[in-house]
Each structure stands twice: as C-alpha cells, then as structure tokens.
Amino acid sequence: MAWPPPFTSFCSYLLFVFFFGLGSRICYGFDIHHRFSDPVKGFLGLDDLPEKGSLDYYVVMAHRDRLIRARHLAASYGQSSPLTFANGNDTLFIGTLGFLHYANVSVGTPSLSFLVALDTGSNLFWLPCDCKKDGCVTGLQTSSGIQEIKLNIYSPNNSSTSEKLSSGSTLCRPSDQWSSASSNCGYKIVYLSNNTSSTGILVEDVLRLVTDDDQSKAVDARITFGCGQNQTGTFLMGAAPNGLFGLGMQDISIPSILAKNRLASNSFALCFGLDGVGRINFGFNGSSDQSETPFNVRQSHPSYNISITRITVGSNSSELEFSAIFDSGTAFTHLSDPAYTFISESFNSKVEEKRHSPDSVIPFEYCYELRANHSNFKKIPSMNLTMKGGDDYFVKHPTALIPTPEGGYLYCLALLKSEDINIIGQNFMIGYHVVFDREKMILGWKDSNCYNDESSNTLPISPAPSSVVSPVLPVIPVTTEGNGNNSHTPAAAPSSYSPKLKSFTYTVTILLLSIFVIV
C-alpha cells in the first residue's frame, strides 16, 4: 500500500529541519518568522514546503505537537528522567543516506551539530574530524548540482573542552590502534562492507544532552569518541556521511560511558515509526507490559545477540532455533539457512501476485509484480518470530515497495540471505519501541507509533503497509581536498553512477548500502 500524498513533502520538510538545524544558533535582534512563512521558504529555496492552511501544513503541525508530547512520556513510567540529545529525542529515517535512522547531536564548546547514523551493531562514536585529503564528506549535493548542504567537521583545536586521549588511556585498546608516531591514541575500525573503515585518534569532549522530561534540564556528558580523519568505502558514498553513533556493549560506547559516570542507568531505547520518524533516549528501562528475551552474552565480543526458537509465516510454522544480532545499523534483515529458505518459501507460497523474474540488479530474491499505476497489493502473510522465553515478535514491515522504469511497482520480501551471521535489521524493528537493557541483559519491545505511550495496535492479524522507496534525486557526497582546506570538490561517484541514472537503478544501488556490523 502506498503512503498517502502528504508523506513525501512531510519527509522533505523533516529532512531539511534536520540539515538546516545543524548550524543553528540562538540570535537576538532579528525578526522572527514562522517556519512556513514566505521569508523562510524563500531563504531555503524550496517550493514544496507546506502552504499555510493546506493539508500538508496541518499534517506537519500536528506532527510537531506529537513530537513535543513524546518528549514528556518517559516520566510517566515512574523512572528517573532518561536523557536524550540536546537537539531533541526525535530520529529520522533517511533513504538516500543508506536507509538508516539519523539523529542530530551536539558536541564541543562552542557546540557543533552533526547528523549521525544510529548503530547498535558497533561501539565507537566517531565524527569527521581534521580530515585528510578525500577522507571525509563535507557536504551533500543534489545530482543537478543546484544545492549543497554543508556538513560540520569537528576539530579538537576548535573546542575549548576537547582533549586528545593518550596511548596509555584505559580506553585505548592495542587491538584498535594503528601505527602512529605521536603519543595520541590512534584507532582504525574496519566494517564488513566494501572496504569501509574509519581511522583517526580518540578524543574527549562534551556531548550535549537534556533530561527527556518536562524540564529538559541540560546535562553535559564528558565522553570519548573518534576524531575520524580518514573514512573509506560507503562512508564516502552517502551512508553515515557526518558520523556514526555506536551504541554497542563495549566500554567505549556512549551508553556505557553514561552508565559508568552515573548519568543514566545502563539502558537505552530506540523507537522506529512507520512514517520514518523515531525516538531515542538513554536510561530508559522499558515498561512492565513489554515483551522480553535475554541477551546471549559472549565475553570475547558482547553484542545484542538473542535466540529465536520458532518461525511462523502465515499458517506455516517451524521450530528453527538460532541466534541473531539486533542491529539498527543494518538496513535490512540478513538470515542464513535454514531460516532464510523457510521464511522465503513460506512467504512465496502465500502470495497471490506474479513473482518477478530473478534480477541481478535487485538485491532481494522474492519480488512480485504490480500493475502500472498500482501500488496496492493483496494481503500478505503474517510473520512471527518466537523469542527465547516464549514472547512473540511480529514483523510488521517485511516488504519493500520499489518503482520500476515502466511505471509499475514491485514489492519484495525485504530479506537478504547470509552465509553466516544472522542479523535482525532495522526494517524488522519498524513499529516497535525497542529497549536495550544492559543491566538486566534483556531486549524489550512494545508496539508503538513513536508519538505516545499507547500501543499503535494489537498483535497484527496482517502486516503493516510497506514503505514506498520514493524516486528521489540522489545526493552526491562532497569530500575534503587537502588537510584542513575548506574547499569542496565532488567525491568520486560509484562506478555504477550516472547523472541520468533512473530512479529504479539508484534505488537498488542505495538498497545495497546495508552495513555497519562488527562481529
């Protein structure tokens, strides 16, 4: 089922709020304009922001009210106030930047804001910093070249609260270091995707947080993070262009640092809304009515690994027991056999639409054809994962809707085959408020629309609508030229890129940017 018409402009508005909020400062002595007023729209150079009084205008304003309300919900659970980012607890799913959820974080003194991807599959939080030649993305530009959004670059020298970590620090692990002649703690992390890595030094500085309650009290947390001087692979192609926020279990992760410093309990929560808007807070331990399953903790490399004991697709059920990692930094779920084959074949047996012929360009194996100008499809089978302990996890969003060059649509089972590691990706988390409780060592989940504490629905009889992969203009990363030079030059585009690339091909290219797992 296609998203309603307001969705496209609604998401465009939210994206520009995120980007243009990066450089925002409090100023005095200037005229104040409504965000949808003509002066503001003229400054942004946009024609698709909602007109006052239009349907889209009321959709966005209602959304704003719900986001404000969402900031005050945590206290209603009787917990001490959780923390969230100073720029707000809302996160945003951005398809053109790797199909990941992003948050606006502020670091340093004076503070700079960064649009970072949220990743429970890795540990280090890093920002583009004192960049080497072609080592960072400094801006995003539309393929037409009309508009460039510049991204902030961090530098320890420009923050009065910054301090470089020495090689003797307890957080400086020899296994993470790279050869360096200085006494600074160098790091290099390689991710399992297309020679993707981040290299630099570890620094300390202040992360700007607030209490996620009615008071929004400022909390400055001193943290350790990566000054990423050189990024490679998909980090230069659009995924996490302005930093990666690792949320893993190791001591270097932000949740671990906040808990160690007694700023928040050792837990955090992510919400993934059906409309692409989510939430994040630290120190939230869940609610008494949430479903739960224990983590499988491996001392050598702890991760959010859980056990699945049964899979049910429609009326087909199988007691397949296996483990999987809950990883928000992987866009689509990856499963190995026999789980992959059971889900795929069971799903295929229940679908009425004609199956699309296998296509090497499309990453998904099971896709189905819809008629031209039709984006609706018949009922698809429900999908449930029974977790260790017996609680059910109903997958609300198992499909992706992709436009074709002929004007029609394909909908695909958004599941990828893995040869070894099982990963529950972000697409299987949609529609849930997911709690990563590292004190009790449990994963919790509850139905949520990410706006209020009421369940978005009961256990579904059929899955929720699939999202449409919109035919949007691709953004081209712009990288640094030289060290410390502020000039901008376009990064080398992927070999498959063409300025006239059809939206379908570009969509499939972006689908392949499913990364950020360290195992």
Side-chain angles (χ1 to χ4, degrees), residues 302-318:
S303 63
Y304 302 115
N305 186 294
I306 52 86
S307 291
I308 296 170
T309 60
R310 176 188 291 268
I311 301 175
T312 303
V313 180
S315 58
N316 296 345
S317 183
S318 178

Side-chain angles (χ1 to χ4, degrees), residues 19-328:
F19 277 131
F20 284 94
L22 296 181
S24 61
R25 295 289 186 273
I26 299 176
C27 302
Y28 299 93
F30 294 95
D31 293 335
I32 297 175
H33 296 288
H34 190 276
R35 70 186 68 179
F36 300 145
S37 66
D38 290 336
V40 172
K41 292 171 67 175
F43 171 75
L44 295 179
L46 300 175
D47 296 325
D48 61 348
L49 285 180
E51 294 291 341
K52 186 174 181 179
S54 68
L55 174 60
D56 286 3
Y57 174 89
Y58 293 111
V59 168
V60 173
M61 294 304 292
H63 169 75
R64 171 187 175 276
D65 293 341
R66 289 183 292 181
L67 274 182
I68 292 174
R69 180 187 175 194
R71 293 182 57 85
H72 312 319
L73 292 173
S76 67
Y77 288 105
Q79 304 177 10
S80 58
S81 296
L83 302 177
T84 194
F85 299 126
N87 294 322
N89 68 359
D90 46 315
T91 67
L92 181 64
F93 172 85
I94 305 178
T96 52
L97 298 181
F99 283 80
L100 300 173
H101 265 260
Y102 288 79
N104 189 353
V105 304
S106 294
V107 175
T109 307
S111 63
L112 283 179
S113 294
F114 300 86
L115 188 71
V116 298
L118 302 174
D119 182 19
T120 62
S122 65
N123 296 282
L124 183 66
F125 167 35
W126 61 261
L127 294 172
C129 166
D130 288 347
C131 302
K132 306 296 184 182
K133 182 178 180 180
D134 296 332
C136 301
V137 174
T138 60
L140 299 173
Q141 192 172 58
T142 60
S143 58
S144 62
I146 296 175
Q147 185 171 9
E148 178 185 336
I149 301 171
K150 293 186 178 181
L151 303 175
N152 286 326
I153 302 296
Y154 178 84
S155 176
N157 297 329
N158 294 335
S159 174
S160 62
T161 48
S162 180
E163 183 178 346
K164 296 177 181 178
L165 223 66
S166 70
S167 57
S169 170
T170 57
L171 287 177
C172 187
R173 302 190 312 171
S175 60
D176 288 341
Q177 292 189 58
W178 60 288
S179 177
S180 175
S182 70
S183 60
N184 298 328
C185 178
Y187 79 88
K188 180 175 183 178
I189 297 183
V190 178
Y191 300 82
L192 299 180
S193 175
N194 302 327
N195 193 32
T196 296
S197 67
S198 176
T199 304
I201 61 173
L202 294 184
V203 298
E204 289 185 351
D205 209 334
V206 174
L207 174 66
R208 308 293 178 176
L209 303 172
V210 295
T211 55
D212 201 8
D213 56 18
D214 290 330
Q215 298 182 4
S216 294
K217 180 181 178 180
V219 176
D220 292 341
R222 191 150 190 88
I223 62 166
T224 300
F225 62 97
C227 166
Q229 299 167 338
N230 191 56
Q231 278 62 246
T232 64
T234 52
F235 290 145
L236 300 180
M237 296 168 60
N242 202 217
L244 185 68
F245 201 90
L247 292 162
M249 285 191 174
Q250 293 185 5
D251 292 343
I252 195 70
S253 76
I254 300 303
S256 297
I257 293 173
L258 295 179
K260 181 180 179 181
N261 294 337
R262 299 183 181 277
L263 295 174
S265 62
N266 198 8
S267 182
F268 68 94
L270 293 170
C271 194
F272 302 91
L274 284 167
D275 60 359
V277 176
R279 286 194 286 139
I280 181 172
N281 51 41
F282 304 95
F284 182 76
N285 299 102
S287 56
S288 59
D289 59 344
Q290 71 181 10
S291 300
E292 297 177 348
T293 192
F295 290 129
N296 302 318
V297 181
R298 299 172 181 173
Q299 297 301 327
S300 59
H301 194 95
S303 63
Y304 302 115
N305 186 294
I306 52 86
S307 291
I308 296 170
T309 60
R310 176 188 291 268
I311 301 175
T312 303
V313 180
S315 58
N316 296 345
S317 183
S318 178
E319 295 185 2
L320 295 174
E321 186 165 352
F322 60 97
S323 62
I325 298 171
F326 260 69
D327 180 13
S328 68

